[in-house]
Amino acid sequence: MSKIKSLIRKNAKPANTNNPILDNVAKSDASINMTANTPIEQTRWNGWGNVNINKKVSSHGAKLIKSHIGKTKKLNSVSLQEVLKTVPKSRLPAAMTKLDTVSIDNEVRLRHARGQSFPDWIAMHGGDFEVFPDGVAHPQSTADVETLLKLAHDHDLIVIPFGGGTSVVGHINPQKGSRPVLTIAMSKMDQLIDLDNESQIATFGAGTQGPAVEAQLDAHGYRLGHYPQSWELSTLGGWIAARSSGQQSLGYGRIEQMFAGGTLVTPKGVITIADIPASSAGPDLREMMMGTEGRAGIFTEVKMRVQPQPEEEVFKVVFLPNWEAGKEVLRQAVQSNIRLSMLRLSNAVETDAHLHLGTTPSQFLAISTYLKARGLSSEKVMLTYGVSGDKAQNKLALTQFKKLLKQQGSVTGKLTDVMGSIWAHGRFKFPYLRGTLWEKGIMVDTFETATNWNNIDEQVQQMQQAVQTALADENEHVMAFTHISHVYKQGASLYTTYFFRAAKDHASTLSRWQKIKHAASLSLANGKSTISHQHGVGRDHAPYLAAEKGQLGIQVTSDMLKSLDPEQRMNPGVLIED
Ligand SMILES: Cc1cc2nc3c(=O)[nH]c(=O)nc-3n(C[C@H](O)[C@H](O)[C@H](O)COP(=O)(O)OP(=O)(O)OC[C@H]3O[C@@H](n4cnc5c(N)ncnc54)[C@H](O)[C@@H]3O)c2cc1C
């Protein structure tokens, strides 16, 4: 009990300030610049995030994972200097290399060659990048982008729009081919350009990263509220182009509810998407251009629907006896319109893993003993929830929600409230664990989907089964767990994390991942679930897209993209296989 008290005391400072994310997460890391983007040199060239930030894994957390997958051995990693030696001479024409906006520096090219997918990590650590962009442009305006696309046409270049490079599905990787590749990095278009207070529309450069979006809005008392876990580095343009979803989508909406319009520079000219609140004038251009993953053109300025900073924001954790009880709480809460800002339900395996990974052994023992004393078994599940709004609204929502929780036998108290604050403080640090585990030879990746409530259990069962048995031919065990991460009246998104052992080298480790990824993707390609709820399609999901859209659907999308990019120079092969 004294361990619990010390945990409560240590985290007693409430997270519910006006903007807990800026106050408690980013500002606590001096290395995160709050008004402009993080320079790419300040990020890891072969892994996740800011070079100044690390996250340790608890010894009993690592032990738990190894108890599922077996003893592990670290993979070798090459140095930056070694990879730099493999960067070939740029093929860009001289006329382009002389432009102020274009760099052919080897390190700049290397840092824009790969994203954050598992194959990207293998390539970066193994030093086998295969292809680098021939140059990287950093436009500062829509006019610069127009000039670059004109030059790309004149010199027959492939163009890859690049936001934060946080893609986890192979969105921004150049491919082998005869045409030189120009990556257009949007990082210098990172400012708030206009704020319409009356309509609550903020216009931003499309390359603005999450912290810079919120800090610039915060100065005017506004908030966007889009918090993907990659928030630290991902950008508005990337969110729109890949149809992203943030952790508080229940309260703030997905990116498609936030994106009001803007400017898209295409090879055929500029499309201005009017920021009209609603329209019955034919198919919605705004919807048609979202999710085009750099194939239709480049978003340069984007108009976002913002809202005043909430008076209060609170996050809490509660435990329920089992998955069924937790799922019932989520479904009833969303279908009865309780005004929560987030809901996340971990299954029993994830609950246990999170309790191990997020605590010291003595804290773990104290929490487990407490939950056991309150009648919970190993079937227990952890539910994280939040409210965001004025105090009276929040109070009402919390009262309504607690009633539902109580009906399902919830366990809550000061300790679980503190766990909510801990989650809010650490929510953007979890991705740093991937690098720490990698160093121990523990490979980790995720995949996600969405499906109707009536298919949730079957889908979870199929996904888990597919992943856990994917390496049976090698006699390898895969540890997998799932949470519900976004809820809708009709259904919910499911997010699975899995761990497996590194093999003897990079190539055979990649082959293990390919088997798991294929099995997981097949389990989703069933006409009832999406191949991706928030990560997009990229190259990794493109082969499975037809199961969701149908051949005619693929054809219509492909024709639309070709009408804007007849020479197929914009990110070919992404979204739709060519
Ligand atoms: C640790 C981690 C956690 C993540 N968590 C989440 C999450 O919670 N929710 C979520 O939705 N995603 C998440 N992702 C995935 C990723 O962050 C999203 O796909 C995000 O939308 C990508 O944004 P970006 O700016 O990094 O784009 P990039 O990765 O640079 O590009 C993604 C795609 O968008 C295109 N693109 C980028 N900018 C533009 C532009 N201005 N105009 C036209 N096309 C453009 C690119 O060509 C590419 O096809 C996560 C990724 C990581 C590594």
Side-chain angles (χ1 to χ4, degrees):
M1 208 56 180
S2 65
K3 290 287 171 202
I4 294 178
K5 281 192 180 138
S6 80
L7 194 68
I8 292 173
R9 267 199 305 276
K10 213 172 127 200
N11 290 283
K13 206 170 148 237
N16 48 340
T17 60
N18 258 356
N19 194 332
I21 298 173
L22 293 179
D23 291 351
N24 297 332
V25 180
K27 278 180 188 163
S28 68
D29 295 317
S31 50
I32 297 180
N33 182 342
M34 297 302 294
T35 54
N37 286 346
T38 301
I40 203 161
E41 318 77 71
Q42 231 181 69
T43 62
R44 290 192 167 81
W45 68 273
N46 63 354
W48 174 249
N50 193 306
V51 285
N52 299 310
I53 304 177
N54 293 297
K55 186 163 171 64
K56 283 192 184 146
V57 57
S58 68
S59 56
H60 68 141
K63 208 166 146 195
L64 175 80
I65 298 170
K66 287 184 190 175
S67 74
H68 285 259
I69 64 174
K71 265 189 170 176
T72 56
K73 198 167 164 241
K74 183 184 172 217
L75 279 174
N76 291 333
S77 290
V78 296
S79 71
L80 175 61
Q81 293 315 318
E82 281 172 271
V83 185
L84 280 173
K85 285 185 204 148
T86 69
V87 183
K89 197 168 173 292
S90 167
R91 298 173 297 170
L92 282 190
M96 290 207 68
T97 60
K98 289 187 189 121
L99 293 175
D100 286 346
T101 44
V102 175
S103 169
I104 54 164
D105 177 85
N106 284 357
E107 188 171 331
V108 174
R109 289 168 60 200
L110 179 150
R111 283 177 174 276
H112 291 86
R114 290 284 183 162
Q116 293 290 324
S117 71
F118 190 85
D120 293 336
W121 274 52
I122 287 284
M124 294 188 289
H125 284 268
D128 190 9
F129 274 61
E130 291 177 28
V131 187
F132 298 86
D134 290 280
V136 181
H138 288 97
Q140 299 195 27
S141 65
T142 298
D144 282 352
V145 174
E146 284 184 79
T147 305
L148 288 164
L149 287 201
K150 164 120 191 17
L151 287 167
H153 170 266
D154 295 347
H155 298 287
D156 196 19
L157 309 180
I158 294 289
V159 171
I160 302 181
F162 187 102
T166 67
S167 162
V168 283
V169 290
H171 273 126
I172 44 93
N173 308 0
Q175 302 296 298
K176 278 191 186 124
S178 56
R179 295 195 276 181
V181 178
L182 179 69
T183 289
I184 299 190
M186 299 300 289
S187 55
K188 290 201 171 151
M189 296 186 68
D190 66 348
Q191 294 297 305
L192 175 63
I193 299 163
D194 184 54
L195 183 61
D196 171 351
N197 281 292
E198 212 172 349
S199 315
Q200 300 189 339
I201 297 283
T203 308
F204 274 98
T208 317
Q209 292 173 340
V213 168
E214 292 299 351
Q216 292 179 79
L217 286 176
D218 191 52
H220 299 273
Y222 284 99
R223 177 176 299 197
L224 179 65
H226 189 71
Y227 303 113
Q229 208 170 47
S230 57
W231 177 76
E232 206 183 310
L233 298 176
S234 53
T235 65
L236 285 164
W239 298 339
I240 295 162
R243 296 189 82 111
S244 154
S245 194
Q247 291 164 342
Q248 284 161 264
S249 67
L250 183 58
Y252 292 98
R254 284 168 61 89
I255 200 68
E256 50 261 44
Q257 277 102 45
M258 299 174 182
F259 175 55
T263 307
L264 179 74
V265 181
T266 82
K268 291 287 270 186
V270 175
I271 294 183
T272 304
I273 305 171
D275 59 334
I276 294 165
S279 160
S280 73
D284 187 346
L285 206 52
R286 193 187 63 92
E287 268 290 339
M288 283 159 72
M289 294 303 125
M290 270 190 288
T292 45
E293 302 193 349
R295 294 211 54 170
I298 303 187
F299 291 104
T300 53
E301 292 184 7
V302 290
K303 292 176 182 288
M304 308 304 296
R305 297 170 180 143
V306 296
Q307 49 188 289
Q309 287 284 5
E311 188 183 352
E312 178 193 59
E313 188 147 61
V314 182
F315 298 98
K316 288 177 187 279
V317 165
V318 59
F319 290 85
L320 288 137
N322 53 45
W323 174 254
E324 270 311 309
K327 201 179 59 164
E328 198 51 25
V329 168
L330 262 54
R331 191 178 63 78
Q332 287 188 28
V334 66
Q335 290 180 348
S336 60
N337 298 317
I338 299 181
R339 284 188 60 147
L340 299 167
S341 65
M342 73 164 284
L343 277 170
R344 174 191 163 130
L345 177 72
S346 299
N347 73 0
V349 184
E350 181 169 301
T351 299
D352 189 42
H354 275 270
L355 288 179
H356 276 86
L357 289 165
T359 58
T360 62
S362 54
Q363 284 170 345
F364 174 77
L365 187 67
I367 294 170
S368 309
T369 310
Y370 169 75
L371 294 175
K372 205 168 167 189
R374 299 283 307 268
L376 295 182
S377 70
S378 59
E379 296 283 293
K380 66 183 170 296
V381 294
M382 187 168 88
L383 193 163
T384 309
Y385 64 101
V387 286
S388 182
D390 70 45
K391 287 187 179 168
Q393 273 170 0
N394 288 351
K395 197 171 165 205
L396 176 65
L398 289 173
T399 309
Q400 290 170 328
F401 190 58
K402 279 180 183 161
K403 208 169 144 198
L404 280 184
L405 286 170
K406 216 168 162 198
Q407 281 165 6
Q408 297 294 338
S410 63
V411 169
T412 183
K414 256 192 187 157
L415 168 71
T416 59
D417 286 355
V418 166
M419 289 173 79
S421 297
I422 295 173
W423 177 86
H425 282 260
R427 61 198 278 193
F428 300 113
K429 294 270 172 66
F430 290 115
Y432 286 89
L433 261 188
R434 189 183 191 183
T436 317
L437 293 171
W438 183 280
E439 290 301 311
K440 294 181 182 298
I442 299 173
M443 306 287 101
V444 55
D445 200 15
T446 63
F447 64 93
E448 36 81 53
T449 186
T451 195
N452 287 350
W453 286 113
N454 70 0
N455 190 44
I456 294 272
D457 286 342
E458 198 178 326
Q459 189 60 66
V460 172
Q461 201 270 332
Q462 282 175 8
M463 298 179 338
Q464 296 253 149
Q465 168 81 5
V467 169
Q468 279 161 349
T469 56
L471 301 183
D473 62 330
E474 297 184 50
N475 217 7
E476 287 292 322
H477 296 278
V478 183
M479 177 186 184
F481 49 69
T482 297
H483 67 259
I484 292 181
S485 61
H486 301 264
V487 290
Y488 305 95
K489 286 192 173 175
Q490 175 187 346
S493 83
L494 297 165
Y495 190 101
T496 297
T497 304
Y498 58 90
F499 303 85
F500 61 103
R501 293 202 286 188
K504 63 179 188 317
D505 55 28
H506 294 91
S508 31
T509 304
L510 180 62
S511 146
R512 283 187 181 171
W513 175 84
Q514 281 162 339
K515 287 184 204 168
I516 302 172
K517 181 73 179 173
H518 183 57
S521 302
L522 285 183
S523 81
L524 302 176
N526 55 16
K528 291 184 184 171
S529 306
T530 174
I531 189 67
S532 177
H533 167 265
Q534 62 200 49
H535 290 163
V537 180
R539 289 179 194 283
D540 295 350
H541 292 155
Y544 308 95
L545 193 62
E548 185 171 330
K549 308 277 183 199
Q551 285 307 337
L552 191 55
I554 295 282
Q555 187 63 50
V556 169
T557 314
S558 170
D559 290 350
M560 180 192 80
L561 295 173
K562 278 186 196 142
S563 72
L564 294 172
D565 178 27
E567 288 147 346
Q568 304 227 44
R569 70 175 74 265
M570 303 299 299
N571 223 355
V574 161
L575 179 60
I576 289 182
E577 291 179 303
D578 295 303

